[in-house]
Amino acid sequence: MNQYDLIVVGSGPAGRRAAIQAAKLDKKVLVVEQGKRVGGVSVHTGTIPSKTLRETALNLSGWRERGFYGKAYRVKQEISAEDLRRRLLITLDHEVEVLEHQFARNRVQSIRGKATFVTPDTMAITKDDGDVMHVMGKSILLAVGTKPFRPDYIPFDGKTVLDSDELLEIEQLPRSMVVIGAGVIGIEYATIFSALDTAVTVIDPKSTMLDFIDKEIVEDFTYQLRDRNMKLLLGQKADKVERLPDGKVLVHVDSGRRIATDMVLFAAGRMGATDTLNLAAAGLEADSRGRLKVNPETFETSVPNIYAAGDVVGFPSLASTSMEQGRVAARVAVGAIAKEPQKYFPYGIYAVPEISTCGLTEEEMKERGIPYECGIARFRETSRGHIMGLDTGLLKLIFSLKTRRLLGVHIVGEGATELVHIGQAVLNLKGTVEYFVENTFNYPTLAEAYKIAGLDAWNRMGEGPKEAPVATSQSTDTAATTTEPAFEKKKAASK
Ligand SMILES: Cc1cc2nc3c(=O)[nH]c(=O)nc-3n(C[C@H](O)[C@H](O)[C@H](O)COP(=O)(O)OP(=O)(O)OC[C@H]3O[C@@H](n4cnc5c(N)ncnc54)[C@H](O)[C@@H]3O)c2cc1C
């Protein structure tokens, strides 16, 4: 039986980062992937396909130029499903090629097959032809990700009633669409199709959406969706979905509403892909959503030498955080020092418009009792915004009144997922409002909104103390409990 230092099950962001990390530490690593090609959900059905689809939709529809040329502006009058798929296939090929090259370069072995536990350190790998081989690992990392939740009451047919994996295979763009589920995936696809002129209705039993995002940002976002005629049926439940003889689908809503539509996307949740792992043989148990519990710092499960990382361990379920989790898990698994990741990571929602956020929301500031001030900038206040014809877009910064540190950055609008990294850097480097006031930003850029928002807050906060504030151990302000960065101290002393 082949023996490895680390067996990684799954080649998504968590698995591949873990495998490469362990290989770089000279460990013998095997990646087991049941899919046709390496890459996981991220490459084949999740992050990359949805973002490629978004990019194609925005480019071909001329969406970004409509602020200038009017709502009727189109780059291509008739956009087909084939137009969307073409770019997708090229992008996916490229992604897989890069990955395979990374594995080869780092001498990571990979095998195609389904892994199941035989004992806590032995796995059986069933290949497509039915052949079974056994492998042993000093450590095993489960990076198996998730799959769409498909409840029995939804009559999925892969053509008119679909989950988010199947949506990538559609042959025709729908004229109308009902999206069940106002989570990140549902909202991303709803807004992408809306940008393609599909009449979209979103249904969700919760009366609010994207609750982990700053409320003011969600309000601005929601206003923009309603302004372009998207229907948001929040606080309402789709209790029956019926395929009609004429090819349409009828969605029954608990409020009594009936919506006839060309297509239904069911995007209400995902399940950890643990059902086929034979967890019991390893002494492990998943929760009701198929997820595994781990130590959030080391990614160890309750069984020694078995680790889990990525979407299978739950929130935030992002490709970006999964990679970092995989790296840390691999280092712990092979006995290397694992540095704790930076405290603040960004969350990106690639809807149309984009949302991105890092740090604390205004609601969290209130909950924690941290005195704060906000600074707001609208993209239309920037020269770059004028040039681009933007009439929407908002950047919000939240500062602690005690320490003047940036504690939250929240953006909705063009380029939000890129812009957020400026705020993220300032947050993790413990910068204050003065960073934005005193620094020069390229002009004209959307990043200039940081300066405008910084000044907006500064105007209300005033000059502040000349000396760096002293931390108090009783403070509930997380930033206040850490000492000020050295460069700030030096600056304060030289004044
Ligand atoms: C529509 C959609 C859009 C998304 N957009 C974004 C985004 O914009 N940004 C972002 O950061 N994140 C996004 N995500 C989330 C992102 O895709 C996930 O966070 C990421 O893929 C999780 O990585 P992972 O390593 O946990 O596993 P996955 O990428 O889920 O990969 C797991 C792999 O394990 C394999 N596997 C499972 N069981 C076994 C087994 N028993 N044996 C062998 N192989 C097995 C599977 O075949 C799969 O290839 C999106 C997700 C979806 C669905």
Side-chain angles (χ1 to χ4, degrees):
M1 197 191 316
N2 280 329
Q3 299 205 7
Y4 294 87
D5 293 312
L6 180 67
I7 297 173
V8 178
V9 185
S11 65
R16 74 182 191 232
R17 185 56 70 88
I20 290 168
Q21 172 64 91
K24 281 195 188 297
L25 293 166
D26 287 332
K27 301 297 172 190
K28 191 177 170 195
V29 186
L30 175 71
V31 174
V32 190
E33 172 55 61
Q34 67 186 4
K36 285 198 186 77
R37 300 180 79 184
V38 290
V41 165
S42 173
V43 169
H44 298 285
T45 52
T47 316
I48 304 298
S50 59
K51 266 75 266 183
T52 310
L53 193 83
R54 178 182 190 275
E55 198 59 27
T56 317
L58 294 188
N59 288 344
L60 294 185
S61 67
W63 179 266
R64 292 190 177 104
E65 302 298 320
R66 287 189 197 166
F68 234 108
Y69 300 117
K71 285 187 178 158
Y73 178 76
R74 301 285 180 278
V75 169
K76 191 169 190 290
Q77 288 304 326
E78 292 288 327
I79 301 170
S80 67
E82 183 49 32
D83 289 327
L84 300 180
R85 224 184 343 261
R86 201 172 308 136
R87 187 160 173 159
L88 197 65
L89 294 176
I90 296 169
T91 312
L92 297 195
D93 264 355
H94 187 65
E95 284 277 321
V96 172
E97 210 178 286
V98 168
L99 246 179
E100 286 174 345
H101 179 57
Q102 276 180 350
F103 278 179
R105 217 176 46 213
N106 289 287
R107 300 211 165 82
V108 170
Q109 290 180 41
S110 66
I111 187 165
R112 189 170 157 206
K114 180 176 285 190
T116 47
F117 279 105
V118 180
T119 67
D121 64 0
T122 310
M123 299 201 93
I125 303 171
T126 311
K127 299 189 198 156
D128 277 359
D129 58 10
D131 236 30
V132 180
M133 65 178 278
H134 288 85
V135 286
M136 259 182 88
K138 283 188 196 156
S139 297
I140 293 176
L141 171 67
L142 302 174
V144 293
T146 55
K147 47 191 176 186
F149 171 53
R150 288 170 63 103
D152 292 341
Y153 76 96
I154 302 291
F156 292 99
D157 65 357
K159 283 190 168 15
T160 54
V161 183
L162 318 110
D163 64 29
S164 62
D165 288 2
E166 295 166 328
L167 190 66
L168 302 166
E169 303 289 327
I170 56 171
E171 282 161 14
Q172 244 183 327
L173 286 189
R175 290 172 69 86
S176 58
M177 181 184 217
V178 168
V179 176
I180 301 177
V184 174
I185 295 171
I187 286 295
E188 283 189 356
Y189 277 127
T191 56
I192 292 170
F193 277 84
S194 158
L196 288 167
D197 294 326
T198 298
V200 178
T201 305
V202 178
I203 307 175
D204 196 293
K206 275 177 62 195
S207 54
T208 52
M209 62 178 190
L210 307 176
D211 291 337
F212 60 100
I213 303 287
D214 188 274
K215 211 168 160 199
E216 195 170 357
I217 296 291
V218 177
E219 276 167 11
D220 188 282
F221 177 72
T222 312
Y223 172 80
Q224 290 191 50
L225 303 195
R226 293 213 157 102
D227 190 49
R228 64 185 212 237
N229 274 334
M230 264 183 66
K231 301 272 175 298
L232 295 175
L233 306 188
L234 301 180
Q236 301 183 41
K237 188 169 182 289
D239 49 17
K240 189 175 166 194
V241 174
E242 201 184 345
R243 290 205 307 266
L244 301 176
D246 64 358
K248 288 246 179 203
V249 188
L250 192 66
V251 179
H252 300 245
V253 185
D254 62 356
S255 58
R257 241 172 163 147
R258 301 279 177 273
I259 307 165
T261 180
D262 288 345
M263 192 175 275
V264 170
L265 168 66
F266 185 86
R270 295 179 66 87
M271 299 281 295
T274 48
D275 53 336
T276 58
L277 281 171
N278 190 21
L279 289 175
L284 281 169
E285 205 181 334
D287 69 12
S288 60
R289 302 210 68 169
R291 288 183 297 224
L292 294 168
K293 207 164 173 243
V294 288
N295 174 329
E297 269 143 40
T298 59
F299 300 95
E300 291 164 293
T301 64
S302 54
V303 176
N305 302 323
I306 302 182
Y307 298 77
D311 282 13
V312 74
V313 305
F315 190 83
S317 295
L318 289 169
S320 50
T321 49
S322 297
M323 285 186 220
E324 208 34 38
Q325 293 175 358
R327 187 185 68 81
V328 172
R331 289 187 72 86
V332 176
V334 303
I337 292 167
K339 257 177 90 181
E340 212 183 310
Q342 288 285 348
K343 187 166 175 194
Y344 296 109
F345 64 86
Y347 202 110
I349 302 180
Y350 292 77
V352 184
E354 284 173 33
I355 295 176
S356 201
T357 176
C358 189
L360 302 181
T361 62
E362 197 171 340
E363 293 69 47
E364 285 170 323
M365 299 290 284
K366 285 182 199 157
E367 265 170 39
R368 295 183 189 199
I370 305 173
Y372 66 92
E373 189 54 84
C374 298
I376 299 268
R378 297 193 180 270
F379 289 0
R380 62 170 177 262
E381 294 173 79
T382 66
S383 299
R384 180 75 191 163
H386 301 156
I387 295 167
M388 292 168 76
L390 296 180
D391 55 6
T392 58
L394 182 145
L395 181 141
K396 172 175 176 176
L397 301 178
I398 306 179
F399 297 96
S400 159
L401 277 175
K402 276 189 196 159
T403 63
R404 302 174 72 79
R405 279 190 178 150
L406 177 70
L407 292 185
V409 49
H410 310 281
I411 314 172
V412 54
E414 184 64 32
T417 52
E418 297 282 358
L419 284 169
V420 75
H421 296 109
I422 298 173
Q424 181 197 7
V426 178
L427 262 163
N428 279 323
L429 294 170
K430 304 185 172 91
T432 63
V433 64
E434 278 70 29
Y435 175 87
F436 301 101
V437 175
E438 291 166 8
N439 272 280
T440 306
F441 285 72
N442 266 339
Y443 174 86
T445 55
L446 290 182
E448 205 204 335
Y450 273 104
K451 194 168 193 72
I452 299 170
L455 281 166
D456 183 41
W458 192 89
N459 285 341
R460 264 172 273 126
M461 289 164 78
E463 186 103 6
K466 286 278 179 280
E467 295 299 319
V470 180
T472 60
S473 56
Q474 278 89 29
S475 174
T476 48
D477 180 338
T478 48
T481 57
T482 47
T483 49
E484 295 288 318
F487 79 91
E488 284 180 14
K489 280 192 180 146
K490 272 192 214 129
K491 220 166 79 176
S494 68
K495 272 189 184 171

